[in-house]
Amino acid sequence: MKPFPPFSPVRLLARMACLVAWTGACALMAAHAQPPEPLKPLPPAPQLDARKVDLGRRLFRDPRLARDDSVACISCHSFQHGGADPRARSIGAGGALGTVNSPSIFNVAHNFRQLWNGGTRTLEDQIDAVLANPRVFDSSWPQALGKLRADTALVSAFAQAYPQGLDRASARDALATYERSLLTPSRFDRYLRGDGLAISMEEKKGYDLFKRYGCVACHQGINVGGNMLQKFGALGDYFQAREAAGHKIGEADRGLYNVTKRPEDLHVFKVPSLRNVALTAPYFHDASAATLEEAVDVMFRVQLGRPAPGADKALIVKFLRTLSGEAPLAP
Amino acid sequence: MSLGLRAAPALAFVLALAGLWAYLLWTTPTVDAGRHGRALDLVRVLKQLDAARDADLLRVRLDLLRDYDPLVQPLPRMDAILAELAELALDDGSGALGAAVAAAHAAFTAKADMVDRFQRHDSLLKNSLRYAPAAYSDIQQHAEAAALPALQARLGALMGATLAFVGAPETANGLRVQAAAQEVRGLVRAQPPLAQRAAIDNLLTHVDVIVLRQSAEAVLLAGLEQAGTGARLDEATAAFTRRFEEQVSRQARSQASLLALSGVAVAAVAAALGWLVWRGATELRRMRQLVERTRADLRESQAQLIHAEKMTLLGEVVAGIVHEINTPLGYLRSGLESAGDNLGAVLQPARERGDGRELEALEETRGLVRDGLAGVDQIHATIVNLLNFSRIDRSKVVRCRVENSLETTLRLASHILKGKVLVRRYGQTREIQCDLPQLNQVFLNLVKNAAQSAPDKGGQVTIATAMAAPDLVRVDITDNGPGILPEDRPRIFDPFFTTRGTGNGLGLSISQRIVREHRGWIEVRSQPGAGATFSVLLATAQLATGKEPHAAA
Amino acid sequence: MLPPEPRRPSLLFIDDEPRVLNAIRAVFKSGYDVALATSGFDALALLHKQEFDVIVSDQRMPGMTGVEFFRRAKRIAPNTVRILLSGFADMDALMAAVNEVEIHRFVSKPWDNAGLRAVVAEAVEVARALRPGADHPTLPEEPRIVPAEIKEGLVVVDAGRQLHERVEAEFGGRYHVIHCETLVESLALLHRRPCAVLVCRLDVCDHDDMVFLMQLKQHHPDMMVITVCEATDAARLVALINRVGIFRFLREPGSFQLLTSYLHGAFERARKRRAVS
């Protein structure tokens, strides 16, 4: 019997067995008897400087970041819609139409990379990217800071929170700190922490199916996703089907390829977090699924590559609704 | 005038001396020990993060971990550390140092990328591995497939080949799977349209995924094993240390020159110079000590980290080992027993026939079978001991008597105690509450030390238990060896302190840590030449804990 | 219906190691019809074709674990007695083995042939008793409103009262719920008034419970026992399976809902058993 394929496990086991049996000097620590749960509860909110969070909150709503003062961060990250944009494509400075559906701003601190294509590693870099993006803010730091410095109240608030006052680093840090505070603990977190009554029997069944059908292969961890990249259409060609249905496949559909230019990264995207997923319609980077049910269908077809009874999918959707948390306080 | 003339060369000499002195003082490098310590700390943390990630990767592979958070969570921290190291190297200005840090950075970036890709393959592979058997049994249970025995057989062969490939992902096995898949395809094509056609196609897709991803994953894992992050970090550490030593020795050389200069300098500056030299020397000593200490710290924390990681993983895989050994033992034991029974059955007719040679051979075989059975039971007893020692299948904190733990330990340590006289003096002790595997380790360390200290001829190890106080259990482990030298006494619990050439010198320090975690302590009594006694003192368990009422909810 | 033909008891063994199967065949070939399979898949195919009295399966196998196989096998052949034969008992597999697939015994490898023969012989007896054909009467309706004196009894053994109160609130109307502080107390009580189901909270560190539970089971073999324990080790659970024959095992803190469903299951099973005997 060979339960553990590569990684030369036999050698490892043999070596370790020898170690124990013959030196006897090793203590064997107790193994974790519980089966590892693939989903993890949201950790408690970190201790953040309240002044910086407040500055970030102000910048998040400040249209002066945009070239023509027409949009702010919150324009495309609506707190009523799970921190995402209910419009298929977001509208940026000068009425420019974005290339993808804006993902949720909630719980981003627990995503390992930002943007759909995983193009930026940190929140600070993501802020730089959207500020310069001609379809989002179409601005630059000197331009934005120039406008912000005219606001004496803002400048003095920055001087209190940061020794260097208002500059690129402090503005970026304030925004990122605010984003780190946007966490949405949900009923399901209470369940994971041992409150068996936090979710209903049906929702529990849905969670069990979510695990059994293998959704957890990608959607796992604290954010139920957000910690890896995966090819969209791993088991069924999503983009070919989409093109056949008369949709144009554009540059934004190439995903990680746009960043690395490696052929194997074509159509590879960040696996999005499923927290608040019931609130963040439409779905996928191209907003091709209008409802959660449709999105689950697509996932079964192109990612899991298996059929499933409609009743099971309905239960999974029920489970997904338990991931909706309380929205952080709006202004 | 003449005074001025005579004074001029002296003045020039003094001025030249002063100039040279000032130059030497100015060029003496200032060595920033704090910065060096910081760099070593950073490398150490990075190494720990890397080691933890390696362990987590293995856990993911073995399905002991089912989320990828631990693989990606350390990334920001790693990036920040690498950036700070690069900054330190840049400040230092040494090209070799910069190159070493850059190499480490590149190795980490490459490894993160491989981990990234590993996650992609691993998730798809696990999905298909989970689904393929279910898809197969669905098809198999369908009436249509049941009516086609040829298809049934081919599908069975396909699943068998796939399982074999998953067990041993070698090219040959992969080709076998593809061949089996081809046969199924051919068969399906030859049939009139099947209702199960879509389901079979789907199964084939998943089998393809398994072959493709398993192979890709094997390549990646091989790559990860050779990622060389550890080696690059070791090189960076070496570069930092080399650089630091270089600076320290340059400082020492300059100071030596200053010393020589001051030797020929006028007596008037001697006092000032003397002061300077004294200060330089203490500084140098302090620096050297600092280097020594940071090195020792590094070594210790790395060793303990690796030890802890190894132990945890070991605990996790011991379950696998025990199963692997017990399975062959199972059929070996049963088979030998059956063979013995069969022999018994043919022995009687042989006796009646009275063929002496045949009878002798049969009797001998029966003896051998009996020996074989005894051997199997002995191996099994060892496995049971090993399990009892590790108690990985038991709950963590238990109530027990120290004598039980001592007996388990002594059984496992029997080979160490060979040739020594073992004396047990167990008293009436009350139960204690403890983490049994940890306590076992303490006793094993102490018994091992005692056995190794006792002389080869007439060596004796005495183990005594008693109540030291109404709520305190005492375990004395005594040997009749040479005892502990008075100068060694304060250091025996230090990590890496060892009086024997063998061993890592961690035994007593780990034992002390474990006993302290149990809120107990270790006492040592020793007379040079008259042996040593190590006493472990542990509090008894509180009565009636866990009896408070609480509901099952 | 024709009277059942006298036939040899049939056994099915599953192990991914063919040598184990060889050894087992040597032990059982006389006296039994033995079928062998090297994977859960093959075994399921056999189950579709043929009836078995007893199935013995390994736990750790590639593709399909023993418990998973039993889960499917139970659907196909619910009246077959299931035995797990494995080299290592991990808690999770054992919990699933008790609560989901109701294994009859757990036998660890290496086994001794006489012991295994005895376990299998006993399992065959149990299976024979379960087999339809003995013309079981139909199950009586679940009692809705019954006079207090003939209510079925449910014993809750717990040092505290909280568990008893919750069970009383949930089941008090339908069953006679009795509280005992210790197992010894319940032994005395059951002597006077037999009960159908017993729920017992076990102390983490106290291993004397086992002796009392075994006595209890000796005197009242038909009583359904559910044990609740905060943490336990595999060896103890194996003893609870093999020597006490517990019906369910619940790990604390578990949900009360789960306990409720186990209790319903226990009463239903008790009724079924009475109907059979």
Side-chain angles (χ1 to χ4, degrees):
Chain A
M1 170 168 168
K2 294 178 187 89
F4 312 134
F7 223 81
S8 53
V10 181
R11 245 187 308 144
L12 184 79
L13 292 185
R15 239 184 286 152
M16 290 195 160
C18 289
L19 202 72
V20 181
W22 302 114
T23 70
C26 307
L28 309 176
M29 299 208 174
H32 310 289
Q34 303 276 3
E37 195 65 48
L39 267 51
K40 296 271 148 48
L42 204 59
Q47 287 293 314
L48 299 168
D49 186 334
R51 292 171 304 178
K52 294 179 181 173
V53 172
D54 189 57
L55 283 169
R57 189 199 317 272
R58 282 155 79 171
L59 289 182
F60 197 77
R61 290 159 177 77
D62 200 323
R64 284 172 290 194
L65 293 181
R67 173 176 53 78
D68 58 356
D69 297 351
S70 65
V71 287
C73 304
I74 197 151
S75 316
C76 304
H77 294 291
S78 160
F79 278 32
Q80 284 78 48
H81 299 92
D85 196 337
R87 303 166 294 185
R89 300 263 197 281
S90 300
I91 293 173
L97 197 62
T99 55
V100 290
N101 175 245
S102 295
S104 172
I105 194 72
F106 294 158
N107 310 303
V108 282
H110 296 292
N111 284 347
F112 86 130
R113 295 185 192 200
Q114 309 303 331
L115 302 182
W116 271 107
N117 60 17
T120 57
R121 283 198 180 276
T122 63
L123 291 170
E124 287 85 349
D125 290 347
Q126 188 267 347
I127 295 164
D128 281 351
V130 294
L131 192 80
N133 189 329
R135 290 173 182 275
V136 187
F137 287 133
D138 191 20
S139 182
S140 65
W141 279 112
Q143 195 184 341
L145 287 172
K147 285 191 269 178
L148 291 173
R149 285 207 175 100
D151 183 342
T152 48
L154 189 71
V155 168
S156 74
F158 259 99
Q160 272 167 24
Y162 292 93
Q164 82 269 33
L166 172 61
D167 66 358
R168 172 171 175 256
S170 61
R172 265 167 32 126
D173 183 68
L175 270 168
T177 308
Y178 173 58
E179 286 168 8
R180 285 190 186 99
S181 77
L182 299 177
L183 302 177
T184 64
S186 67
R187 275 196 293 140
F188 189 71
D189 291 300
R190 294 216 309 277
Y191 171 71
L192 283 181
R193 289 187 195 281
D195 178 358
L197 300 177
I199 65 174
S200 73
M201 271 329 261
E202 280 197 319
E203 288 161 343
K204 249 175 248 183
K205 260 183 231 156
Y207 175 42
D208 189 46
L209 292 170
F210 187 76
K211 289 197 274 192
R212 274 206 224 159
Y213 276 120
C215 311
V216 284
C218 292
H219 293 284
Q220 30 63 45
I222 294 172
N223 254 2
V224 201
N227 62 4
M228 64 178 292
L229 301 155
Q230 188 55 277
K231 187 179 169 122
F232 192 13
L235 279 147
D237 201 319
Y238 170 83
F239 291 97
Q240 219 170 38
R242 194 111 173 103
E243 201 162 25
H247 296 274
K248 198 170 164 287
I249 302 304
E251 193 187 338
D253 295 313
R254 291 189 202 142
L256 183 65
Y257 176 83
N258 290 337
V259 184
T260 62
K261 304 289 177 210
R262 271 195 309 221
E264 62 168 301
D265 293 338
L266 187 65
H267 303 321
V268 168
F269 291 87
K270 184 180 73 186
V271 172
S273 162
L274 293 185
R275 288 189 174 274
N276 302 305
V277 71
L279 309 171
T280 60
Y283 300 101
F284 307 132
H285 71 285
D286 53 5
S288 63
T291 65
L292 194 48
E293 286 76 8
E294 269 177 61
V296 171
D297 270 343
V298 172
M299 283 288 111
F300 265 95
R301 203 172 60 240
V302 303
Q303 296 303 115
L304 294 175
R306 64 188 292 183
D312 284 2
K313 289 184 193 166
L315 283 171
I316 288 178
V317 168
K318 281 213 165 89
F319 152 68
L320 291 176
R321 292 189 196 282
T322 68
L323 293 170
S324 299
E326 301 149 29
L329 288 179
Chain B
M1 176 77 188
S2 65
L3 187 81
L5 268 176
R6 249 179 295 136
L11 194 67
F13 178 66
V14 168
L15 275 176
L17 266 185
L20 194 60
W21 184 78
Y23 169 76
L24 273 174
L25 194 64
W26 186 64
T27 54
T28 301
T30 50
V31 181
D32 192 343
R35 169 178 304 203
H36 174 66
R38 172 87 190 139
L40 290 191
D41 275 350
L42 288 174
V43 172
R44 180 171 52 193
V45 174
L46 198 53
K47 207 159 184 180
Q48 287 172 358
L49 289 172
D50 193 37
R53 180 171 62 178
D54 283 345
D56 285 331
L57 259 173
L58 187 53
R59 285 197 187 99
V60 166
R61 258 329 268 122
L62 302 182
D63 231 14
L64 295 167
L65 188 67
R66 292 186 182 164
D67 68 289
Y68 299 123
D69 278 352
L71 299 184
V72 298
Q73 272 164 350
L75 285 176
R77 186 91 199 283
M78 287 174 166
D79 284 345
I81 290 174
L82 284 162
E84 194 176 340
L85 281 175
E87 214 165 284
L88 285 170
L90 196 69
D91 283 353
D92 188 85
S94 153
L97 190 53
V101 172
H105 200 310
F108 268 87
T109 311
K111 188 162 175 180
D113 184 53
M114 279 193 272
V115 172
D116 228 51
R117 282 187 285 161
F118 165 79
Q119 285 173 234
R120 267 189 251 168
H121 294 308
D122 188 59
S123 53
L124 290 178
L125 177 62
K126 281 189 182 147
N127 174 39
S128 290
L129 280 178
R130 196 181 290 128
Y131 178 49
Y136 168 68
S137 74
D138 283 352
I139 295 170
Q140 204 197 25
Q141 281 170 22
H142 198 274
E144 184 184 70
L148 290 170
L151 182 63
Q152 282 271 42
R154 297 269 155 86
L155 282 172
L158 176 63
M159 288 311 285
T162 310
L163 281 183
F165 174 71
V166 171
E170 290 143 13
T171 322
N173 287 345
L175 291 175
R176 230 163 273 147
V177 177
Q178 277 161 353
Q182 207 49 50
E183 273 186 35
V184 172
R185 266 190 206 107
L187 201 66
V188 170
R189 235 177 278 139
Q191 291 294 331
L194 287 172
Q196 290 281 290
R197 175 71 187 264
I200 293 171
D201 282 348
N202 200 22
L203 175 65
L204 289 170
T205 312
H206 280 276
V207 167
D208 278 348
V209 169
I210 291 172
V211 174
L212 193 75
R213 303 289 167 171
Q214 180 79 287
S215 322
E217 197 173 287
V219 172
L220 264 180
L221 286 172
L224 276 167
E225 270 187 296
Q226 289 154 8
T229 43
R232 294 294 95 71
L233 283 181
D234 286 342
E235 283 160 25
T237 313
F240 271 110
T241 306
R242 214 160 35 235
R243 188 77 188 128
F244 183 62
E245 278 165 355
E246 226 171 78
Q247 286 171 347
V248 170
S249 65
R250 245 173 58 209
Q251 191 183 35
R253 268 204 307 279
S254 305
Q255 274 160 349
S257 314
L258 276 173
L259 194 71
L261 194 67
S262 65
V264 292
V266 281
V269 287
L273 272 179
W275 176 79
L276 206 83
V277 167
W278 174 79
R279 210 193 58 159
T282 40
E283 185 71 1
L284 196 65
R285 212 169 35 243
R286 212 172 60 80
M287 297 276 174
R288 289 240 160 91
Q289 276 169 359
L290 205 83
V291 174
E292 206 46 53
R293 226 183 40 228
T294 31
R295 274 193 175 168
D297 280 358
L298 190 71
R299 213 158 60 106
E300 181 197 336
S301 69
Q302 266 178 8
Q304 290 201 351
L305 177 88
I306 289 160
H307 183 75
E309 275 295 339
K310 212 157 55 185
M311 290 307 106
T312 322
L313 265 180
L314 189 60
E316 286 170 5
V317 295
V318 135
I321 301 175
V322 169
H323 184 268
E324 293 299 286
I325 296 178
N326 275 343
T327 296
L329 278 190
Y331 61 74
L332 194 54
R333 193 178 196 295
S334 173
L336 280 173
E337 254 189 281
S338 300
D341 292 349
N342 290 351
L343 273 175
V346 295
L347 208 56
Q348 199 49 43
R351 272 209 197 96
E352 280 157 17
R353 276 200 303 279
D355 182 338
R357 248 198 299 165
E358 184 189 353
L359 207 56
E360 194 183 320
L362 285 174
E363 288 286 4
E364 189 183 352
T365 315
R366 191 144 83 150
L368 292 173
V369 167
R370 228 172 264 148
D371 289 351
L373 269 174
V376 170
D377 288 342
Q378 210 174 334
I379 297 173
H380 183 57
T382 310
I383 294 287
V384 169
N385 267 340
L386 182 65
L387 257 178
N388 279 344
F389 181 77
S390 69
R391 300 206 67 160
I392 48 156
D393 60 336
R394 308 292 162 97
S395 45
K396 223 170 147 78
V397 175
V398 295
R399 225 184 280 172
C400 72
R401 292 188 56 209
V402 284
E403 287 79 10
N404 298 346
S405 169
L406 283 166
E407 282 307 309
T408 309
T409 309
L410 288 174
R411 273 199 296 276
L412 209 74
S414 58
H415 70 282
I416 305 171
L417 284 163
K418 217 166 249 173
K420 309 275 173 9
V421 179
L422 177 67
V423 182
R424 292 182 177 86
R425 282 202 205 107
Y426 292 160
Q428 285 294 316
T429 58
R430 283 174 39 201
E431 286 187 329
I432 59 162
Q433 216 157 0
C434 65
D435 184 339
L436 207 49
Q438 296 238 30
L439 198 66
N440 286 344
Q441 195 196 2
V442 171
F443 290 143
L444 184 65
N445 284 337
L446 294 179
V447 168
K448 203 172 114 191
N449 274 355
Q452 286 171 340
S453 306
D456 287 338
K457 265 193 190 154
Q460 182 175 322
V461 175
T462 309
I463 297 176
T465 62
M467 296 301 294
D471 56 354
L472 204 61
V473 177
R474 162 188 224 111
V475 179
D476 289 335
I477 297 171
T478 310
D479 64 72
N480 61 345
I484 302 165
L485 294 174
E487 61 265 35
D488 286 343
R489 266 296 280 283
R491 296 173 58 203
I492 52 172
F493 288 108
D494 287 354
F496 303 112
F497 178 78
T498 171
T499 53
R500 288 183 290 275
T502 59
N504 56 10
L506 280 170
L508 278 177
S509 90
I510 288 174
S511 298
Q512 195 182 38
R513 183 176 53 77
I514 293 172
V515 172
R516 278 188 186 153
E517 280 167 6
H518 281 78
R519 272 176 265 153
W521 68 93
I522 301 181
E523 283 174 6
V524 189
R525 268 166 297 144
S526 172
Q527 299 261 306
T533 299
F534 283 80
S535 306
V536 179
L537 290 118
L538 294 161
T540 54
Q542 264 102 46
L543 288 171
T545 49
K547 289 273 182 192
E548 299 84 29
H550 39 163
Chain C
M1 192 186 267
L2 287 170
E5 282 173 43
R7 60 174 180 92
R8 305 209 303 174
S10 55
L11 313 176
L12 171 59
F13 290 92
I14 300 101
D15 200 301
D16 61 313
E17 173 57 68
R19 294 190 188 105
V20 169
L21 296 175
N22 278 344
I24 283 177
R25 179 165 41 204
V27 179
F28 288 99
K29 67 181 176 208
S30 60
Y32 295 92
D33 281 336
V34 182
L36 307 169
T38 52
S39 76
F41 303 113
D42 299 348
L44 284 174
L46 278 174
L47 269 182
H48 277 295
K49 286 188 216 131
Q50 195 185 334
E51 266 183 34
F52 292 96
D53 293 308
V54 178
I55 312 180
V56 183
S57 172
D58 186 20
Q59 164 60 7
R60 286 196 181 198
M61 295 182 288
M64 195 190 292
T65 65
V67 167
E68 222 179 305
F69 160 69
F70 277 146
R71 214 175 275 145
R72 290 164 194 232
K74 203 179 150 197
R75 253 179 269 150
I76 303 171
N79 288 328
T80 303
V81 173
R82 293 166 287 276
I83 295 172
L84 207 57
L85 174 70
S86 185
F88 180 75
D90 69 280
M91 269 307 288
D92 299 304
L94 280 173
M95 295 261 300
V98 176
N99 294 338
E100 292 176 40
V101 301
E102 299 181 339
I103 56 157
H104 180 66
R105 287 281 186 274
F106 176 89
V107 182
S108 58
K109 288 179 191 169
W111 66 92
D112 80 287
N113 289 346
L116 188 62
R117 262 192 225 113
V119 167
V120 168
E122 194 222 332
V124 167
E125 300 257 304
V126 174
R128 287 279 152 105
L130 283 176
R131 202 146 287 290
D135 274 330
H136 300 146
T138 47
L139 289 183
E141 271 294 297
E142 195 174 318
R144 291 271 167 230
I145 309 150
V146 273
E149 62 273 18
I150 56 160
K151 272 188 192 173
E152 283 178 288
L154 163 59
V155 187
V156 179
V157 183
D158 182 16
R161 291 210 75 104
Q162 226 179 318
L163 180 63
H164 166 248
E165 277 158 21
R166 290 194 72 169
V167 173
E168 171 80 56
E170 182 81 26
F171 291 90
R174 227 178 304 162
Y175 306 113
H176 185 53
V177 183
I178 311 162
H179 177 245
C180 289
E181 289 212 346
T182 61
L183 276 166
V184 183
E185 200 183 306
S186 73
L187 266 171
L189 170 103
L190 287 165
H191 198 63
R192 294 195 307 273
R193 188 208 192 291
C195 292
V197 178
L198 177 131
V199 182
C200 173
R201 262 189 89 221
L202 298 175
D203 187 349
V204 179
C205 300
D206 188 358
H207 286 234
D208 295 340
D209 294 345
M210 196 64 70
V211 181
F212 295 120
L213 277 172
M214 274 158 62
Q215 279 185 20
L216 213 86
K217 199 67 188 173
Q218 237 165 29
H219 294 304
H220 312 279
D222 282 337
M223 190 169 60
M224 299 284 132
V225 178
I226 299 177
T227 54
V228 179
C229 189
E230 210 168 302
T232 197
D233 52 62
R236 198 178 181 195
L237 186 47
V238 167
L240 284 171
I241 296 171
N242 289 349
R243 304 167 76 176
V244 184
I246 51 165
F247 176 64
R248 290 287 185 271
F249 178 88
L250 194 71
R251 190 150 46 177
E252 284 202 288
S255 74
F256 187 71
Q257 251 173 326
L258 199 58
L259 179 62
T260 311
S261 74
Y262 285 174
L263 280 169
H264 282 303
F267 277 110
E268 199 167 304
R269 184 62 58 85
R271 269 195 290 282
K272 212 186 239 173
R273 275 206 191 166
R274 270 202 307 277
V276 170
S277 58

